[in-house]
Amino acid sequence: MNIATTLSKAARLFPEKEALVDGSARLTYAMLDERVGRLAQGLNRLGLEAGQTLSVVAPNSLAFYELYYAAARLGLIVNSINVRLLGPEMAFILGDAESRLLAADLRYQAQVLEALQDSPRVERVIWLGQGRAPQAGRESFGYEDFLAAQTGRFSPPAPAADDRPAHLYYTSGTTGRPKGVVLTHRNVTAHALAAVAEFQLTDADVWLHVAPMFHLADAWATFALTLVGGRHVMMPEFNAGQALALIERERITISNLIPTMLNLMVNHPEAGRFDYSSLRVVLSGGAPIAPETVKRIIDTFGCGYIQTYGLTETSPYCTVSTLKAHLKDLPPDAQRAINSRTGREYLAVELRVVDDQGRDVPPDDKSVGEIWVRGDTVTPGYWKRPEATAEAFQDGWFKTGDLAVIDREGYVNIVDRKKDVIITGGENVYSTEVEYVLYEHPAVLECAVIGVPDDKWGEAVKAVVVRREAESVGPAELIDFVKKRLAHYKAPKSVDFVSELPKTGSGKIMKRALKSRYWEGREKLVH
């Protein structure tokens, strides 16, 4: 199945249905289909051919949606770039992805122009958004003017085969240069079909695009919601109060948000004044989430909650915490405990939790192993990195690098990234376990637990904490709070308070950036 098919189907079945809302712009599926056709025509006239790369630097928007689909019609590879990257970082990706055309929003022109100075392969730039397009030393167009210039009949080429590359997402580069993750048309559409079943998506659903579309935390919904004829509501940049207001105004039924976003929303001072009755379920993904935060989500929004887990390499979902039918008879607290777990395997994948010898760990919810997955949603490999591709797979299984336990029902729970385990005095401490406890303290708004150098223990557990506004708490109180709930060796030896934690463009907390402050000049590799 080709990605372009999902929009073509929606345009046939729901031509007059409102499909997308972006600020004051409201378009039907017939209108979207016509605009995407003209965009594909324009890109084709620029000489772009199947298999070539189109890079995009943009916020959630109508234009981003249309670029995804126009590229699919031509067999182009969409390379979505994190808008928070600096110019040199963007330049590396543009060069590595071999991009000939860049579509960039004007709000990011400073770093884009810097990137273009070292990107000779990029021949043309299409500028999105409002304002005058700057001269970038190569042929440039304004997006709407480019669309308006496309007239006459256009017959797109034959659809790209299912196994052809469709998207190219670059990992955050925690060690060395970032790697390009290739996703095929089959990867993306298989994930979309599974999402329709897992989340019971229909044409009645209204999705809030609040997590970034350049990241798979949200991009997957572009195709799954379109497949069923749902309505897309764009939020270009995250703001907790504005997100809450959009849920009420646009009658949002479902969305996926990064835990840090949800945490800010449920703790917003005006969270109690909006109407959330349209919401049927909230998904959380992109990072582990504390059970205490899950409780606040359910209490605030009064709807269903599903935790998700996945990776760029898996399109993204590997697990969902949806309850099996017989588990819905459990008491509410027991159900919420299951909802707060990482979840059972997603419909489109097979999942195992294995030890260092590749053997399945017992389903006792105690034995820790690495999550391995395989299926139609798993990447065929990394762009131009055969060695990295070979290293990531074993006997057909993709090795995620995430450590977890699994119970008798098949629900896994991540305890840490393999690279983030803290080894202190010979004992393993899983940072998420400590973070979950810290989130139970009423003064903690956000936190990250990391290992820092210690002459006696090798590594010591440190908590970096953002306090809630108007709350006061000291290090000793938080350390004692953890010691009353976990073994003492797991408790932080020290606590640092900060005004904010460093985050990726998708909103995930960057532990690598935190660690680098403490490990600078030391021998330990900072992951």
Side-chain angles (χ1 to χ4, degrees):
M1 184 177 183
N2 185 284
I3 291 170
T5 303
T6 62
L7 177 57
S8 300
K9 182 180 289 291
R12 288 196 306 272
L13 295 177
F14 309 100
E16 302 308 315
K17 183 179 184 295
E18 188 170 78
L20 190 146
V21 178
D22 185 3
S24 60
R26 292 179 177 270
L27 293 87
T28 66
Y29 270 110
M31 295 165 67
L32 273 182
D33 188 56
E34 189 272 337
R35 283 173 59 92
V36 166
R38 282 193 283 130
L39 179 57
Q41 179 182 36
L43 296 176
N44 181 256
R45 285 176 173 173
L46 292 180
L48 292 178
E49 300 176 351
Q52 294 179 334
T53 305
L54 159 66
S55 292
V56 182
V57 180
N60 298 353
S61 59
L62 165 64
F64 205 156
Y65 178 98
E66 291 173 340
L67 284 161
Y68 265 127
Y69 275 103
R73 288 191 179 179
L74 295 176
L76 304 178
I77 303 169
V78 174
N79 163 228
S80 302
I81 298 179
N82 187 331
V83 301
R84 294 178 65 177
L85 296 182
L86 300 179
E89 295 172 301
M90 288 186 179
F92 169 79
I93 291 174
L94 289 170
D96 193 70
E98 301 175 348
S99 296
R100 293 182 55 197
L101 175 68
L102 172 63
D105 195 277
L106 285 164
R107 71 188 72 191
Y108 311 116
Q109 64 177 287
Q111 64 257 51
V112 168
L113 290 173
E114 184 182 8
L116 288 172
Q117 293 176 12
D118 196 27
S119 303
R121 187 185 292 268
V122 177
E123 300 169 352
R124 298 179 177 91
V125 181
I126 298 177
W127 291 100
L128 319 178
Q130 301 297 317
R132 185 174 180 179
Q135 293 301 311
R138 60 266 285 156
E139 190 175 13
S140 299
F141 309 90
Y143 184 76
E144 290 297 335
D145 291 341
F146 183 75
L147 272 183
Q150 311 310 320
T151 58
R153 295 174 63 89
F154 171 65
S155 298
D162 291 4
D163 61 353
R164 299 304 299 164
H167 298 158
L168 183 58
Y169 297 95
Y170 277 75
T171 61
S172 55
T174 53
T175 56
R177 291 288 197 177
K179 300 190 295 288
V181 178
V182 175
L183 295 182
T184 66
H185 286 268
R186 179 182 295 119
N187 291 153
V188 176
T189 55
H191 188 280
L193 287 165
V196 170
E198 288 282 18
F199 308 127
Q200 300 175 32
L201 302 176
T202 73
D203 59 305
D205 277 310
V206 184
W207 181 274
L208 179 59
H209 290 270
V210 58
M213 288 176 69
F214 64 72
H215 190 283
L216 276 167
D218 184 84
W220 68 266
T222 303
F223 315 106
L225 261 287
T226 298
L227 180 61
V228 297
R231 181 158 63 100
H232 304 261
V233 177
M234 299 295 173
M235 185 173 189
E237 294 178 341
F238 175 73
N239 175 283
Q242 292 174 14
L244 295 171
L246 264 178
I247 292 172
E248 176 182 277
R249 184 166 69 250
E250 294 295 339
R251 305 300 293 164
I252 303 300
T253 66
I254 182 171
S255 187
N256 180 66
L257 297 101
I258 307 298
T260 50
M261 293 177 174
L262 283 166
N263 194 37
L264 292 172
M265 289 168 69
V266 298
N267 287 292
H268 193 275
E270 296 188 343
R273 80 175 189 85
F274 296 101
D275 176 10
Y276 309 119
S277 59
S278 61
L279 277 175
R280 65 178 185 85
V281 65
V282 168
L283 315 179
S284 169
I289 188 168
E292 180 62 25
T293 305
V294 173
K295 182 179 185 302
R296 291 180 67 90
I297 292 167
I298 295 171
D299 291 345
T300 300
F301 295 129
C303 65
Y305 169 81
I306 300 173
Q307 186 170 175
T308 66
Y309 154 71
L311 303 94
T312 305
E313 289 90 341
T314 56
S315 302
Y317 290 150
C318 297
T319 70
V320 292
S321 69
T322 310
L323 294 178
K324 299 178 183 178
H326 71 278
L327 298 176
K328 295 179 181 179
D329 295 329
L330 295 173
D333 285 350
Q335 291 188 39
R336 186 162 53 242
I338 297 172
N339 278 144
S340 300
R341 294 178 68 86
T342 304
R344 48 87 176 155
E345 65 182 36
Y346 190 62
L347 282 176
V349 301
E350 297 175 74
L351 180 148
R352 301 169 62 200
V353 180
V354 304
D355 62 20
D356 290 339
Q357 285 74 48
R359 300 171 302 198
D360 292 287
V361 302
D364 56 11
D365 213 23
K366 295 179 181 179
S367 302
V368 176
E370 183 181 5
I371 296 174
W372 288 7
V373 293
R374 67 181 179 188
D376 283 345
T377 59
V378 178
T379 177
Y382 297 105
W383 180 260
K384 301 191 302 181
R385 301 284 186 89
E387 299 84 2
T389 299
E391 185 179 349
F393 288 86
Q394 184 166 324
D395 300 327
W397 293 86
F398 177 75
K399 301 180 289 184
T400 68
D402 289 314
L403 300 179
V405 295
I406 186 167
D407 66 13
R408 289 179 299 173
E409 293 282 355
Y411 286 80
V412 302
N413 211 32
I414 289 180
V415 294
D416 220 333
R417 284 290 295 172
K418 205 169 187 179
K419 298 170 182 176
D420 288 338
V421 174
I422 303 165
I423 304 175
T424 178
E427 296 281 3
N428 286 359
V429 175
Y430 301 110
S431 59
T432 54
E433 183 181 18
V434 186
E435 289 163 357
Y436 289 172
V437 171
L438 286 169
Y439 273 112
E440 294 176 11
H441 194 284
V444 174
L445 178 63
E446 290 184 329
C447 68
V449 172
I450 59 174
V452 297
D454 185 273
D455 292 335
K456 180 178 180 180
W457 303 107
E459 285 184 274
V461 180
K462 176 180 281 292
V464 185
V465 173
V466 178
R467 283 178 284 221
R468 294 185 193 276
E469 191 173 347
E471 292 284 352
S472 177
V473 66
E477 181 181 339
L478 286 181
I479 293 170
D480 187 58
F481 185 80
V482 175
K483 284 182 175 179
K484 290 178 178 177
R485 290 159 175 80
L486 296 175
H488 285 199
Y489 73 86
K490 298 180 182 180
K493 294 283 194 299
S494 59
V495 178
D496 286 354
F497 293 100
V498 296
S499 59
E500 63 178 350
L501 293 169
K503 297 184 176 71
T504 66
S506 62
K508 293 190 286 186
I509 293 171
M510 293 177 65
K511 288 189 177 179
R512 175 183 176 232
L514 285 175
K515 290 178 182 179
S516 64
R517 302 173 187 175
Y518 301 97
W519 286 95
E520 187 174 357
R522 304 293 288 246
E523 291 185 1
K524 180 183 173 77
L525 178 65
V526 179
H527 296 291

